[in-house]
Amino acid sequence: MNFPSVEAVGEIKLIWRSDPRLSRAVSTMLLDLPPKPAKLQDETAKCVSPSNLINRVLALSKPLVPSSTDLTFRTATFRELVRVDESQFATALVNLIINAVHATGGSGSVELNTKLKDLSQSETDLSGQYIKPGSYVSSSVVDNGPGVPVAFLSKISEPFFTTKPDAVGTGLGLPMVIAFAHRAGGALRYARNGEVTIFELLLPVASKWTSG
């Protein structure tokens, strides 16, 4: 997944707003969404160890994060694997980290937590789809920024919606993460817990790594 340029996004926004009937077509083209809600798997998907992927995410994130941001990684060690495109998984996590950095103004704390999580009942994600019960790998990006205003919560999954200046945000970051999660059978969830904001990427466990 590659982001369009700021200029291209500006032109696409005009198309988007000019005719609501085009919105689904534009979403499908940019975000690889299916014509109807469905679980998709990328042709490049393979079983990936989230624990091993963290080093790659750290290497990708560091050059993009200012020294004034306290960036930490807390990753549990486990053998469970997820079936995804590895590059898209890494890109999704980097997108969430950069969003968190912007939310703190570049001078707060951002933390990535990865662990196993069991869901005992169906839950609803950001775009209103249901997450099935089962075992998931949870990758949460936590920041101490002000969070998403309540009035905007229903919009943050929409392509092109952003509270950032045009030169900073395209409004495609979270929708692309959500599209990736849905293709893998997972979801992206948002929560505000006290003074911190949490974006949690949930991906279903596909298998367990064995040394034999």
Side-chain angles (χ1 to χ4, degrees), residues 20-201:
R21 293 174 299 179
L22 296 176
S23 62
R24 183 68 190 181
V26 174
S27 293
T28 300
M29 178 179 64
L30 287 177
L31 307 178
D32 297 327
L33 293 172
K36 295 181 180 180
K39 176 182 173 182
L40 292 183
Q41 281 289 353
D42 292 290
E43 293 180 358
T44 55
K46 62 181 181 180
C47 287
V48 173
S49 167
S51 297
N52 294 341
L53 185 71
I54 294 304
N55 287 334
R56 182 178 177 185
V57 172
L58 180 59
L60 289 170
S61 302
K62 273 193 171 181
L64 305 173
V65 176
S67 58
S68 54
T69 295
D70 180 18
L71 178 63
T72 58
F73 288 70
R74 300 184 187 279
T75 306
T77 301
F78 48 83
R79 292 174 176 268
E80 281 73 5
L81 308 176
V82 293
R83 185 169 178 79
V84 295
D85 179 293
E86 186 172 6
S87 294
Q88 291 182 12
F89 187 13
T91 300
L93 293 178
V94 172
N95 276 333
L96 293 177
I97 290 169
I98 299 308
N99 275 352
V101 171
H102 289 162
T104 64
S107 59
S109 65
V110 176
E111 182 176 290
L112 171 63
N113 296 313
T114 302
K115 62 183 181 181
L116 292 176
K117 188 170 190 176
D118 288 323
L119 297 183
S120 58
Q121 60 184 11
S122 296
E123 299 183 29
T124 306
D125 70 3
L126 272 180
S127 59
Q129 295 193 19
Y130 286 97
I131 312 168
K132 296 179 180 179
S135 297
Y136 289 80
V137 171
S138 166
S139 300
S140 296
V141 176
V142 184
D143 69 72
N144 63 347
V148 180
V150 175
F152 295 154
L153 280 177
S154 63
K155 296 180 177 292
I156 58 179
S157 63
E158 296 179 5
F160 310 120
F161 177 79
T162 180
T163 57
K164 305 172 189 174
D166 285 343
V168 176
T170 62
L172 291 175
L174 287 179
M176 293 178 85
V177 175
I178 292 170
F180 158 74
H182 285 175
R183 282 196 301 277
L188 181 70
R189 302 196 305 184
Y190 167 85
R192 181 72 180 172
N193 185 3
E195 298 298 316
V196 300
T197 298
I198 305 167
F199 277 97
E200 182 183 27
L201 177 61

